[in-house]
Amino acid sequence: MDQVKDTSEKLEKAVFSKPFTYSRLFLSTFIISAFTVGGGFVLIPLMKAKYVDEFGWMSENESLDLVSIAQSAPGAVAVNASIIMGYRLGGILGTFTALLATVLPPLITLTVVSYFYDAFATNPYVRMFLKGMQCGVTAVLLDVVLGLLVKQVRKKLALPLIIMAGTFIASYFLKINIMEIILVDAIIGFFLMRDPQYN
């Protein structure tokens, strides 16, 4: 059993071995923030593609855990996620680096939009541009949802699927407050998902 664990750790280290730099953290986070159109949930696939798949700075499970923490904290998901991931990757300096890179793109964009607001508000091409982006964001979010669903189905574990179905029903059909649903999900996870098979 120990030999299998050692082999698994070696494989993980071999996969997640790209060097970390603050300049790379700033640039990648800046780009992610610039393309986070449609809300903080778009961060999930973008951060996974950059930090997990391309750079290998963390595992997929770890990135999802950090995003879950960011979603449960007060404030904007994008800012929360950048703070917690920046700290995880580079400590306090990483936090400020990621935070600055996250805040700058919307700050620049909103400054320009507010300055030329009348031209943007009445321009039909801008409206078509925004509608096209909304369609793309919808597809990205759907890809994330389906990816997470397939991952849970492959594990063949009933409890995560029950939680997912129950959460959807409670939110979509019963219109229960999302924070109450998340709190119940967290309590269920704390008491019923301690087994290593759920990791």
Side-chain angles (χ1 to χ4, degrees):
M1 190 71 179
D2 291 338
Q3 187 176 4
V4 173
K5 185 177 179 181
D6 291 340
T7 304
S8 176
E9 289 176 354
K10 287 178 182 177
L11 284 173
E12 186 170 85
K13 287 178 182 177
V15 174
F16 306 115
S17 59
K18 207 97 183 249
F20 167 83
T21 61
Y22 290 104
S23 59
R24 184 175 287 170
L25 174 64
F26 179 86
L27 184 60
S28 59
T29 307
F30 186 92
I31 293 171
I32 289 172
S33 179
F35 287 93
T36 303
V37 181
F41 290 101
V42 184
L43 275 176
I44 299 173
L46 294 178
M47 284 186 164
K48 177 187 175 296
K50 187 64 70 174
Y51 297 147
V52 177
D53 300 334
E54 185 177 344
F55 293 161
W57 287 347
M58 60 180 68
S59 67
E60 182 177 355
N61 285 338
E62 187 177 13
S63 68
L64 291 176
D65 288 343
L66 294 178
V67 170
S68 298
I69 294 171
Q71 290 172 347
S72 63
V77 176
V79 174
N80 293 346
S82 68
I83 289 173
I84 193 168
M85 288 198 175
Y87 184 80
R88 162 66 183 80
L89 295 170
I92 297 296
L93 182 57
T95 297
F96 286 110
T97 302
L99 182 59
L100 181 63
T102 301
V103 172
L104 276 178
L107 180 63
I108 294 169
T109 303
L110 289 175
T111 300
V112 173
V113 169
S114 62
Y115 189 77
F116 299 102
Y117 178 76
D118 290 336
F120 278 111
T122 58
N123 191 316
Y125 297 105
V126 172
R127 287 202 298 270
M128 288 187 284
F129 178 74
L130 293 175
K131 286 181 180 179
M133 286 197 303
Q134 288 174 355
C135 295
V137 167
T138 303
V140 169
L141 291 176
L142 184 61
D143 177 61
V144 173
V145 171
L146 292 176
L148 291 172
L149 179 62
V150 169
K151 184 177 179 182
Q152 295 301 330
V153 170
R154 284 178 178 169
K155 289 183 178 179
K156 298 179 180 179
L157 299 174
L159 183 57
L161 297 176
I162 292 172
I163 293 174
M164 292 174 69
T167 300
F168 176 75
I169 292 170
S171 175
Y172 188 79
F173 293 106
L174 304 180
K175 308 298 181 185
I176 298 175
N177 187 295
I178 190 65
M179 293 308 298
E180 295 175 3
I181 298 172
I182 291 174
L183 181 61
V184 171
D185 290 345
I187 293 172
I188 293 173
F190 180 78
F191 287 106
L192 300 181
M193 301 182 73
R194 297 184 180 185
D195 195 294
Q197 67 178 335
Y198 293 113
N199 296 328

